[in-house]
Amino acid sequence: MHPEMNAYPCSIVRGGTSKGIFFMKHDLPSEPYMRDKVILAAFGSPDVRQIDGLGGADVLTSKLAVISPCASSDADVDYTFGQVSFEQSFIDYNGNCGNISSAVGPFAIDQGMVPAVEPVTTVRIRQTNSNTILVAEVPVKNGKACVNGDFHIDGVPGTGARLVMDWSGTVGAFTGKLLPTGNPKDKICVNGTDYQVSLVDAGNPLVFISAEDLGMEGTKSLEEIEKDQGLMDTIQAIRSKAAVLFGLVDNPEKAALDSPYNPFFAIVSPSADYVAGDGKTVHAEDTDLTARLSFMLKMHKTYPITGTVCTGAAARIPGTVVWDMLSEEARANGTLRIGHPGGIVPVEAEAAMENNQIRITRLGVYRTARRIMDGLVFIPKAVLSEGE
């Protein structure tokens, strides 16, 4: 080993349309401050290019997964998600990433943490950020998670083995309620204007708003949205007030700094033709609604899986902003097709009425994942001793 650097085992893993650094918990310092110091240095944060670390200088690739055996009998593995900032010395643990979550099952099988059962191994994952259970169905062959397959997801080149993730156990993950305010719609006032929103907690807490209410076309490109500073300011102002209603912060002014990851902010509109990021046309008849999503104070290049499952849940609640966008056929269909900037993502969304309350019974999504690299990340000892 190098006398001036410490080495930490890690893996680079793609899950869905995101990529993250996976650490085994026992390979990191147990003390939270030093643990986060190691992680930030491993990613090369804070630095907008993350040039001195493994981070990809993008919110979709600056993601962390910490894995360990589950201490209780209700799951197979524990998984902690972190969104690593490249602008500040900050890791946001107040959320989850569905794409990274989809890689946890295959990773655990390949690590020997879960016995490999052919043809499909079920992995129960305890998501420690919200203390909820995700269930992954992972195709297995020759004792390892399958990589090859014919399943394609928009936003990822080629095809891979199809993973099935059931998120129904994450309803109310962060607030304890599917509808944290008890209402399918609420009003949030910004600069004297009332905006109709739906606040829903499934997978992650989301704010839903119609594109029309924001005065924009639902098919607007991400670049057009981000260049419209007035629009972005309005989005963040609404999101900040929603963060208080979700109980994530006690003051809207704290939302950008203390809770930049959650809540997500989804702009929805009726199905329409538009051109996706790869230049292909998404046709209205192939989708049930159109959506654009903001997180980490930026627009998402595709559509996050936690946002997907929450949108599926919102589609089953009469009176939400999402419900209002749907045709009668889409409201009754067991699968919702979401048109996003990268293409189309389906979600199995089913609900039942119990004691005059909506109960979400199924939130199923399909992903692919693969391990890209195993190795050691080297961190200068001088960096770890700074501030001591």
Side-chain angles (χ1 to χ4, degrees):
M1 292 298 171
H2 197 286
E4 296 180 356
M5 294 191 289
N6 290 340
Y8 299 87
C10 66
S11 301
I12 299 176
V13 186
R14 178 186 64 78
T17 56
S18 292
K19 187 164 60 177
I21 310 301
F22 280 53
F23 287 95
M24 291 298 297
K25 185 177 180 179
H26 62 70
D27 289 324
L28 293 168
S30 57
E31 197 279 315
Y33 175 76
M34 285 306 301
R35 175 202 64 203
D36 286 0
K37 252 195 166 185
V38 168
I39 292 167
L40 287 165
F43 275 77
S45 290
D47 171 35
V48 292
R49 293 197 300 156
Q50 293 181 320
I51 195 64
D52 203 30
L54 299 176
D58 187 289
V59 291
L60 299 186
T61 58
S62 192
K63 295 176 178 284
L64 163 76
V66 179
I67 311 296
S68 63
C70 187
S72 62
S73 60
D74 60 347
D76 301 303
V77 295
D78 278 354
Y79 148 62
T80 301
F81 170 72
Q83 182 73 43
V84 182
S85 173
F86 40 80
E87 296 172 334
Q88 304 170 44
S89 295
F90 179 67
I91 304 170
D92 195 339
Y93 292 107
N94 293 318
N96 188 16
C97 172
N99 281 297
I100 294 300
S101 298
S102 69
V104 174
F107 180 85
I109 292 169
D110 290 351
Q111 289 289 109
M113 301 173 70
V114 179
V117 178
E118 297 187 20
V120 174
T121 299
T122 298
V123 183
R124 292 180 61 81
I125 303 162
R126 187 172 76 97
Q127 211 275 322
T128 66
N129 307 66
S130 58
N131 195 30
T132 53
I133 303 295
L134 313 176
V135 180
E137 298 173 8
V138 184
V140 167
K141 188 175 182 179
N142 299 323
K144 296 291 184 181
C146 293
V147 172
N148 297 324
D150 59 4
F151 185 67
H152 171 75
I153 55 176
D154 287 336
V156 179
T159 61
R162 191 184 80 158
L163 307 163
V164 182
M165 299 286 293
D166 184 1
W167 286 76
S168 56
T170 68
V171 171
F174 292 88
T175 66
K177 296 179 180 179
L178 176 61
L179 295 174
T181 67
N183 307 315
K185 285 196 194 81
D186 291 281
K187 286 183 181 179
I188 290 180
C189 183
V190 170
N191 296 326
T193 300
D194 286 334
Y195 295 92
Q196 293 266 9
V197 300
S198 292
L199 307 184
V200 184
D201 180 4
N204 268 329
L206 256 77
V207 184
F208 293 98
I209 192 170
S210 72
E212 182 181 11
D213 214 18
L214 284 173
M216 61 170 271
E217 294 291 329
T219 56
K220 203 170 186 177
S221 73
L222 304 183
E223 293 76 14
E224 290 173 322
I225 296 172
E226 289 192 336
K227 285 180 180 178
D228 188 337
Q229 193 57 54
L231 175 60
M232 289 298 291
D233 289 345
T234 298
I235 289 171
Q236 298 314 329
I238 297 170
R239 193 195 81 93
S240 295
K241 290 194 173 184
V244 176
L245 295 176
F246 276 116
L248 298 171
V249 294
D250 58 13
N251 187 316
E253 296 178 359
K254 296 181 179 179
L257 184 62
D258 293 348
S259 191
Y261 190 72
N262 272 330
F264 290 1
F265 189 97
I267 305 165
V268 295
S269 58
S271 295
D273 292 347
Y274 64 92
V275 178
D278 61 2
K280 296 178 182 177
T281 298
V282 174
H283 297 285
E285 61 266 26
D286 295 328
T287 66
D288 296 309
L289 80 165
T290 303
R292 304 289 185 262
L293 185 139
S294 172
F295 86 129
M296 291 300 288
L297 314 183
K298 299 180 184 297
M299 298 305 298
H300 199 290
K301 292 180 174 62
T302 54
Y303 208 69
I305 288 304
T306 48
T308 298
V309 299
C310 196
T311 305
R316 300 297 170 248
I317 307 171
T320 65
V321 172
V322 175
W323 172 273
D324 290 348
M325 296 295 148
L326 303 179
S327 66
E328 289 299 324
E329 181 182 2
R331 290 172 182 173
N333 199 333
T335 298
L336 181 76
R337 303 166 301 167
I338 304 168
H340 61 81
I344 303 170
V345 60
V347 53
E348 297 175 9
E350 299 173 7
M353 183 67 73
E354 294 183 1
N355 299 320
N356 295 319
Q357 296 290 324
I358 292 287
R359 184 174 72 87
I360 304 299
T361 58
R362 172 82 173 169
L363 288 174
V365 292
Y366 313 123
R367 293 285 88 184
T368 64
R370 77 175 185 94
R371 190 182 305 224
I372 296 170
M373 189 210 77
D374 286 329
L376 299 172
V377 59
F378 288 88
I379 298 173
K381 294 178 180 178
V383 172
L384 299 180
S385 64
E386 288 176 0
E388 292 184 354

